[in-house]
Amino acid sequence: MTGVWKVYFLAIVSFLVGTSEYIISGILDKIADSLGITITAAGQLITIFSMVYAILTPILMALTAKVERRKLLVYSLGIFVIANVLSYALPGYIPFVFARVLMAMGAGMVVVTALGIAAQIAAPGKQASAIATVIMGFTASLIIGVPLGRVVAAAFGWKSVFGFIAILGVISMFVLYKAIPITKGDAPVPLLKQFALLKKPKVALGLAITFFWLGGYSVAYTYLSPYLLMVSGLNESWISAALFAFGLASLMGSQFGGFSTDRWGVSSTLTGGMMLHILALIALTFTHAASSVIPVLVILVVWSLAAWSSGPAQQFNLVQLEPNSSGVMLGLNQSMMQLSMAAGAGIGGVAVEQISLSSITWIGAVGVAVAMAASFVLFRLGKEKSPDHAALET
């Protein structure tokens, strides 16, 4: 198994983890009906997963810093597999919540460890590409995992999705143990040193962009399946197709975001993408009046393209803020992304419960608008500082 194929296999593992996180949005209505709970309660499963992932992953990685990386990856994947087995086997809502907590603990360690191993086993000069490949596996779960999970859930029941993930996880454990070489971890960065960066106004503002951008996205995306069924008027046969179109557009948007950032810069890509993101969410509000499924699919594609085009631009934006601490910045951004997903799902649940299901698009648009305002402030601060930087360089 060459180094390239090992990296691609790590991407497959990342795909499994991503599917386990995102699949809830694709089968939210089925979980609610099966467990006899509201879609709001079902949506909080995403909040719980993301919150545990964001808070415990840096702590668990710090505690396991001295553990050999291959062993840590296999053990973490084992925790993830057990959690999926419990999700499949245990009845009721509370046991499923417990399984989601365990799943998030394993998932966070799997992804972070896989990224580290990918960078170490990649060929010289290919480390960044290896990391991007593993991240692509996580993104692919939106494109393939969620719509495929919806199909599997319709055919065999929603619990079967976690059964299949558990089986694939067990197979992956054996392959990883045989294929991945013994790999030492990097020197750990103390948590207090990581959090010290948050005291810097520009860093806090940069991470606030992530929080409100992805939080606004999550408010609407968490409840997308019931929204399409009950508000937009799509029937069951179109839901998987809509989710597939949405996921495919997310990959295209991510690719375009990288190209646009290189070509036109961070500020144009980030603000332009968020503006289109806001307009798409508002447009989705009016799809209940559509006489055809085509307008709904078009708006979903535009929304996903716009939302995910901001990802590469925002990551590059954060690296530029603290170029000497790029690894820590990206790690903090990962935690902030999960926190924002949790907050978005929670706020969306309150909106569905207290206002209406149709309100989530407007509330999501407000969240993205706040992120856009934060980006304007950050870029203005950057322009004010640039003369000083130029003077230092000359």
Side-chain angles (χ1 to χ4, degrees):
M1 198 174 187
T2 64
V4 173
W5 286 107
K6 290 174 185 177
V7 171
Y8 276 107
F9 195 82
L10 289 171
I12 292 173
V13 172
S14 180
F15 168 81
L16 290 178
V17 171
T19 299
S20 72
E21 176 173 3
Y22 293 130
I23 189 58
I24 298 296
S25 297
I27 58 175
L28 201 65
D29 55 308
K30 296 184 181 297
I31 293 174
D33 290 342
S34 173
L35 297 180
I37 57 177
T38 64
I39 59 170
T40 303
Q44 298 318 302
L45 294 165
I46 295 175
T47 303
I48 292 165
F49 186 102
S50 297
M51 193 70 75
V52 172
Y53 189 117
I55 295 173
L56 291 188
T57 297
I59 296 173
L60 291 172
M61 293 308 298
L63 292 174
T64 57
K66 295 182 179 180
V67 179
E68 189 268 315
R69 298 293 96 175
R70 181 184 67 177
K71 183 185 294 184
L72 180 60
L73 181 60
V74 173
Y75 286 173
S76 301
L77 193 54
I79 295 172
F80 175 76
V81 167
I82 291 170
N84 277 277
V85 171
L86 293 176
S87 297
Y88 174 77
L90 294 179
Y93 179 68
I94 299 302
F96 190 44
V97 169
F98 169 76
R100 290 293 287 176
V101 170
L102 194 63
M103 196 183 300
M105 292 171 62
M109 290 195 292
V110 167
V111 172
V112 175
T113 307
L115 288 170
I117 290 176
Q120 291 197 43
I121 66 176
K126 298 290 184 180
Q127 287 88 349
S129 296
I131 291 172
T133 299
V134 176
I135 293 174
M136 182 184 69
F138 204 84
T139 305
S141 63
L142 269 175
I143 305 167
I144 303 171
V146 174
L148 184 61
R150 179 84 189 186
V151 172
V152 171
F156 305 105
W158 67 268
K159 279 182 171 287
S160 64
V161 174
F162 298 100
F164 282 119
I165 291 175
I167 292 169
L168 293 173
V170 170
I171 296 171
S172 299
M173 288 173 65
F174 284 104
V175 174
L176 290 172
Y177 185 76
K178 293 292 184 181
I180 299 298
I182 293 175
T183 310
K184 291 184 179 180
D186 295 328
V189 179
L191 286 174
L192 290 178
K193 186 176 180 180
Q194 295 184 39
F195 294 144
L197 285 172
L198 297 176
K199 296 178 181 178
K200 299 185 177 183
K202 289 174 70 174
V203 171
L205 199 56
L207 290 172
I209 295 172
T210 294
F211 182 83
F212 287 102
W213 152 60
L214 204 53
Y217 168 87
S218 179
V219 167
Y221 179 75
T222 298
Y223 298 94
L224 181 58
S225 291
Y227 188 95
L228 294 176
L229 284 167
M230 302 175 197
V231 179
S232 298
L234 270 64
N235 58 41
E236 176 64 35
S237 62
W238 275 106
I239 297 298
S240 293
L243 292 173
F244 179 79
F246 189 93
L248 188 61
S250 72
L251 180 62
M252 295 168 61
S254 186
Q255 293 295 317
F256 176 76
F259 168 79
S260 178
T261 302
D262 290 335
R263 183 72 180 270
W264 296 296
V266 170
S267 60
S268 297
T269 302
L270 201 54
T271 55
M274 286 192 288
M275 175 61 76
L276 194 57
H277 189 162
I278 293 166
L279 293 175
L281 284 173
I282 294 173
L284 191 60
T285 305
F286 300 101
T287 55
H288 64 277
S291 58
S292 165
V293 73
I294 300 302
V296 180
L297 293 179
V298 170
I299 293 170
L300 286 177
V301 166
V302 173
W303 173 23
S304 188
L305 276 167
W308 289 100
S309 71
S310 301
Q314 173 61 355
Q315 296 210 47
F316 187 66
N317 180 36
L318 291 170
V319 169
Q320 281 186 317
L321 292 177
E322 290 290 330
N324 294 326
S325 303
S326 59
V328 175
M329 286 297 293
L330 292 176
L332 288 172
N333 191 49
Q334 286 293 313
S335 289
M336 186 60 71
M337 288 173 73
Q338 292 295 332
L339 282 174
S340 64
M341 292 287 280
I347 293 168
V350 172
V352 171
E353 197 76 28
Q354 301 296 326
I355 308 174
S356 68
L357 181 58
S358 60
S359 69
I360 58 174
T361 50
W362 290 97
I363 295 170
V366 170
V368 181
V370 173
M372 192 171 176
S375 69
F376 282 132
V377 174
L378 180 63
F379 297 142
R380 186 177 181 83
L381 288 174
K383 287 181 180 178
E384 291 174 356
K385 294 287 185 180
S386 58
D388 296 333
H389 288 188
L392 287 172
E393 291 174 357
T394 55

